[in-house]
């Protein structure tokens, strides 16, 4: 059994939701039941993977200790070296997991480690910023182990999560939330079970191996739509389930294929991930560049920050070449986009014209689909074939 896949999971999900709805209708706090349900469901899913279960337990306990120790150190002083050390230690399991994918190591490769690491790193960063003054063990476990977003997000923030977690909703408000959640789950099921499955069949049975330019173009588009329906469907089910358990998990997609430039695309695609990287990597790089006066212009600094930010995002997906190239590709596109919008008079003059928006959309959608082609691994295969010839 795995998250949001197979009849077994949905039977367990329905059974877990019944007490949650009952408690919500009775206007009771769902925190303790939600934590109990998360531990039960996550434990059941990992029950056949003893090694990964041990790594998960080590991760959860180890990260809790890191947070608690750093919280006490931070109360005494705001030391930058200590902060960087604890931040590195918090992401070390993820680094080991990614290295294990391309080596003989087999460490921390359990389902969901990427998203769990984001949650922990955010807590460490905001302790350093002075935004988090206290971390209670049960609140930490509730935040980290929430089963609906455990394996693939969306990526929530601890302070926003805690506000929902501590709130007791009135009956009508809770029932409205449940109704919205059920609609999201139904739409997510349709996306993932029907539309994503259809795109997958086309990829496997009709397109072939991208031996021609037309096949490559077709593959890129179908793969892009497959990625959207698969991941957006999963996200909708995760968000809808969170609603039933009293947590308003943030949205993850908002019409990404109507974007008219690359920055607009990343404000619509996997939004919780792109916002996380924007807030905790890009913005902090920019502040460092400005304070240190590393570049003569902010535009140059922004270009370096965009490329660095997206390269790290690519590495987060994995250490295979297609992910690294994908990250660098989007970093370069965002840097070009920023320079074009800041410097080009033609853009400033015509950006609100319908024909200009149409051309911008056409260029953007093709650049996006080329990115998905790179991400799929078919791009590197095609390059290998061309070099071989």
């Amino acid at each position: 059994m795995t998250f949001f896949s197979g009849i077994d999971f949905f039977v367990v999900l329905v059974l877990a939701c019944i007490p949650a709805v009952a408690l919500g209708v009775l206007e009771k706090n769902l925190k303790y039941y939600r934590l109990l349900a998360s531990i039960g469901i996550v434990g059941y899913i990992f029950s056949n993977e003893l090694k990964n279960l041990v790594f998960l337990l080590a991760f959860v306990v180890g990260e809790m200790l890191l947070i608690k120790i750093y919280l006490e150190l931070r109360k005494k002083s705001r030391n930058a070296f200590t902060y960087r050390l604890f931040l590195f230690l918090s992401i070390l399991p993820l680094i080991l997991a990614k290295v294990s994918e391309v080596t003989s190591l087999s460490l921390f490769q359990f389902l969901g480690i990427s998203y769990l690491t984001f949650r922990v790193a955010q807590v460490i960063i905001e302790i350093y910023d002075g935004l988090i003054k206290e971390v209670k063990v049960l609140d930490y476990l509730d935040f980290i182990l929430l089963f609906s977003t455990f394996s693939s997000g969306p990526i929530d923030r601890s302070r926003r999560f805690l506000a929902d977690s501590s709130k007791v909703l009135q009956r009508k408000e809770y029932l409205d939330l449940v109704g919205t959640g059920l609609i999201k789950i139904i739409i997510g099921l349709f996306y993932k079970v029907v539309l994503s499955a259809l795109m997958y069949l086309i990829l496997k049975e009709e397109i072939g191996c991208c031996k021609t330019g037309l096949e490559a173009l077709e593959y890129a588009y179908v793969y892009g739509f497959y990625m959207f329906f698969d991941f957006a469907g999963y996200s909708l089910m995760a968000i809808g389930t969170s609603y039933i358990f009293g947590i308003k998990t943030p949205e993850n997609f908002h019409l990404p294929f109507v974007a008219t430039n690359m920055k607009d695309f990343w404000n619509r695609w996997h939004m919780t991930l792109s916002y996380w990287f924007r807030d905790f990597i890009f913005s902090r790089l920019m502040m460092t560049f400005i304070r240190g006066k590393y570049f003569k212009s902010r535009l140059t600094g922004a270009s370096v920050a965009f490329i660095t930010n997206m390269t790290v995002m690519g590495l987060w997906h994995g250490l295979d070449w297609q992910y690294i190239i994908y990250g660098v590709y989007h970093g370069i596109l965002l840097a070009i986009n920023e320079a074009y919008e800041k410097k080009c008079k033609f853009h400033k003059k015509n950006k609100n014209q319908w024909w200009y928006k149409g051309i911008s959309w056409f260029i953007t959608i093709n650049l996006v689909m080329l990115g998905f082609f790179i991400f799929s691994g078919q791009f590197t295969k095609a390059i290998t074939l061309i070099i071989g010839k």
Side-chain angles (χ1 to χ4, degrees):
M1 188 177 81
T2 190
F3 296 96
F4 298 103
S5 179
I7 294 175
D8 288 353
F9 176 83
F10 286 100
V11 169
V12 171
L13 177 61
V14 170
L15 293 175
C17 285
I18 293 172
V21 173
L23 289 169
V25 169
L26 293 172
E27 300 182 354
K28 302 295 183 182
N29 192 303
L30 292 171
K31 178 190 295 185
Y32 301 112
Y33 175 69
R34 181 175 56 245
L35 175 57
L36 182 64
S38 291
I39 291 172
I41 292 173
V42 170
Y44 182 59
I45 288 175
F46 278 79
S47 61
N48 292 324
E49 303 175 6
L50 182 59
K51 180 180 178 181
N52 285 335
L53 180 59
V54 171
F55 276 128
L56 171 61
L57 291 172
F59 177 89
V60 172
V61 174
E63 299 288 9
M64 181 70 244
L65 290 173
L66 278 178
I67 288 172
K68 284 289 191 180
I69 293 170
Y70 182 62
L71 192 59
E72 292 304 312
L73 293 173
R74 176 62 181 84
K75 290 176 182 177
K76 297 175 182 178
S77 68
R78 191 172 185 266
N79 183 276
F81 175 80
T82 303
Y83 159 64
R84 293 183 185 121
L85 174 62
F86 275 80
L87 182 59
F88 171 76
L89 291 175
S90 74
I91 65 174
L92 181 58
L94 178 60
I95 294 172
L96 293 174
K98 294 300 179 183
V99 171
S100 294
E101 292 175 1
V102 293
T103 66
S104 58
L105 292 174
S106 182
L107 300 171
F108 293 98
Q109 289 186 289
F110 60 82
L111 183 67
I113 185 171
S114 294
Y115 291 91
L116 300 190
T117 301
F118 274 121
R119 299 178 201 182
V120 174
Q122 171 257 311
V123 173
I124 295 287
I125 292 169
E126 293 195 337
I127 289 173
Y128 175 73
D129 289 343
L131 298 173
I132 295 176
K133 307 289 187 180
E134 180 184 27
V135 179
K136 296 179 180 178
V137 173
L138 290 182
D139 288 338
Y140 162 81
L141 292 174
D142 190 19
F143 174 58
I144 290 293
L145 295 176
L146 180 65
F147 77 91
S148 55
T149 60
F150 185 92
S151 67
S152 297
I155 304 166
D156 208 346
R157 308 286 178 93
S158 61
R159 289 182 294 137
R160 197 220 63 78
F161 179 93
L162 187 59
D164 282 357
S165 174
S166 304
K167 187 177 180 181
V168 178
L169 300 175
Q170 297 295 313
R171 183 179 294 111
K172 184 180 183 305
E173 185 181 1
Y174 175 71
L175 289 176
D176 287 344
L177 196 62
V178 170
T180 303
L182 288 173
I183 292 171
K184 288 182 180 294
I185 291 171
I186 291 169
I187 295 173
L189 274 170
F190 179 70
Y191 274 16
K192 190 167 177 67
V193 175
V194 178
L195 298 179
S196 172
L198 177 61
M199 295 297 109
Y200 184 79
L201 286 176
I202 296 173
L203 286 176
K204 291 298 182 182
E205 296 181 9
E206 295 186 16
I207 293 182
C209 300
C210 304
K211 295 179 181 178
T212 68
L214 184 61
E215 283 183 342
L217 181 64
E218 188 179 1
Y219 189 97
Y221 267 83
V222 176
Y223 185 81
F225 285 117
Y226 161 73
M227 286 281 289
F228 171 73
F229 288 123
D230 184 71
F231 198 15
Y234 183 98
S235 294
L236 282 169
M237 289 189 285
I239 294 167
T241 302
S242 297
Y243 279 19
I244 294 172
F245 282 81
I247 300 296
K248 296 179 182 178
T249 296
E251 298 294 328
N252 218 17
F253 293 88
H254 179 61
L255 304 174
F257 297 132
V258 304
T260 55
N261 60 62
M262 294 309 300
K263 187 182 291 186
D264 187 26
F265 171 76
W266 281 106
N267 285 331
R268 296 171 177 271
W269 177 272
H270 204 347
M271 295 184 292
T272 59
L273 176 70
S274 60
Y275 292 168
W276 197 99
F277 272 87
R278 179 198 65 192
D279 294 344
F280 296 119
I281 297 182
F282 175 81
S283 295
R284 289 164 192 270
L285 277 175
M286 281 299 296
M287 287 190 290
T288 299
F289 293 159
I290 292 169
R291 289 170 181 168
K293 298 181 180 180
Y294 290 101
F295 303 100
K296 291 183 179 180
S297 73
R298 290 195 178 188
L299 186 58
T300 303
S303 297
V304 174
F306 274 127
I307 294 171
T308 303
N309 183 62
M310 298 307 292
T311 301
V312 173
M313 184 184 286
L315 290 167
W316 170 76
H317 282 98
L319 300 183
D320 294 318
W321 278 109
Q322 69 259 32
Y323 302 130
I324 299 171
I325 296 171
Y326 174 79
V328 174
Y329 169 79
H330 272 283
I332 292 172
L333 289 181
L334 286 168
I336 293 172
N337 184 94
E338 185 75 2
Y340 177 73
E341 291 188 351
K342 289 287 194 296
K343 295 291 186 179
C344 182
K345 294 181 180 178
F346 182 78
H347 166 75
K348 293 177 181 178
K349 180 180 178 181
N350 298 289
K351 63 181 180 180
N352 294 320
Q353 300 294 325
W354 66 268
W355 58 267
Y356 185 82
K357 290 182 179 179
I359 294 172
S360 297
W361 168 81
F362 180 77
I363 293 171
T364 301
I365 191 68
N366 281 284
L367 290 173
V368 165
M369 292 305 177
L370 175 57
F372 285 129
F373 186 55
I374 294 170
F375 188 87
S376 71
Q378 292 295 325
F379 176 80
T380 52
K381 289 180 181 178
I383 295 297
T384 301
L385 287 172
I386 292 171
I387 294 173
K389 291 179 180 179

